[in-house]
Amino acid sequence: MKICSALLACGVGAAGAFAPPLFGYRTSSSQSVSSSSLAAAGRGAGYGSLLNDITETIGNTPVVKISDKTSPPGRTIYAKCEFFNPLSSVKDRLALAIIEQAEKDGKLKPGDTVVEATSGNTGIAVAMMCAQRGYNCVITMAEPFSVERRKIMRMLGAKVIVTPKKDKGSGM
């Protein structure tokens, strides 16, 4: 059994390397904004063809104009809605990038185990990706972190190892 640490051994950089800025603004409403190739056809029409699996939805999140009523005068503000990702987190992008890069580099193969030290959202996203791709997943967390997040990771099929607080385990 091969073990690949999701963030370190697979050679993937920091989380910020995969996510675009969440907010942006422009000073003039006359500047053009290019529309996404995944723009919805109309309310209720969806985004087009059927998807092969949930990972195809990751990163295809909308950029939405914030109402002029709540924006500062003279500013047009857009928000990147990462909560549209399958697990409502920008960490879905990170987990997908980690797994895909490790597969591409030959560092992660069927039957392998992915190990991730986390405090929550990254571990949840890694557990989802492993479940989708059929990898074993082991998550380590420090005891003080959220019990709810542990439950979600276990529901996604991950083995969660909690490092005890009394032994000053950080889990990460």
Side-chain angles (χ1 to χ4, degrees):
M1 171 175 64
K2 179 180 175 184
I3 297 177
C4 178
S5 173
L7 291 175
L8 301 175
C10 294
V12 179
F18 301 107
L22 293 179
F23 296 97
Y25 69 90
R26 54 192 177 110
T27 56
S28 167
S29 61
S30 65
Q31 293 173 329
S32 64
V33 176
S34 62
S35 62
S36 168
S37 61
L38 294 174
R43 189 174 309 277
Y47 289 100
S49 62
L50 298 176
L51 303 175
N52 293 315
D53 64 64
I54 195 68
T55 64
E56 291 182 10
T57 66
I58 296 173
N60 294 323
T61 55
V63 176
V64 178
K65 182 179 183 234
I66 303 299
S67 171
D68 290 334
K69 295 174 182 137
T70 59
S71 296
R75 301 280 190 222
T76 301
I77 300 176
Y78 291 87
K80 181 78 169 138
C81 301
E82 292 297 329
F83 55 86
F84 275 72
N85 279 311
L87 293 173
S88 303
S89 172
V90 70
K91 301 297 181 148
D92 295 357
R93 287 177 182 258
L94 173 65
L96 177 64
I98 289 168
I99 299 296
E100 285 184 340
Q101 188 66 51
E103 290 171 337
K104 179 181 167 190
D105 294 346
K107 294 179 179 179
L108 189 58
K109 298 177 186 79
D112 284 353
T113 298
V114 176
V115 178
E116 170 66 10
T118 186
S119 61
N121 288 345
T122 301
I124 292 169
V126 168
M128 187 242 340
M129 284 300 306
C130 288
Q132 177 63 45
R133 301 281 173 101
Y135 299 118
N136 298 310
C137 183
V138 176
I139 303 292
T140 64
M141 288 183 82
E143 188 175 28
F145 293 127
S146 166
V147 172
E148 293 79 14
R149 290 179 182 189
R150 287 184 229 159
K151 288 179 180 179
I152 292 169
M153 288 181 263
R154 286 182 177 123
M155 287 189 314
L156 289 166
K159 177 180 179 180
V160 179
I161 299 171
V162 179
T163 57
K165 184 178 180 181
K166 69 178 182 69
D167 297 330
K168 298 188 184 207
S170 66
M172 299 175 24

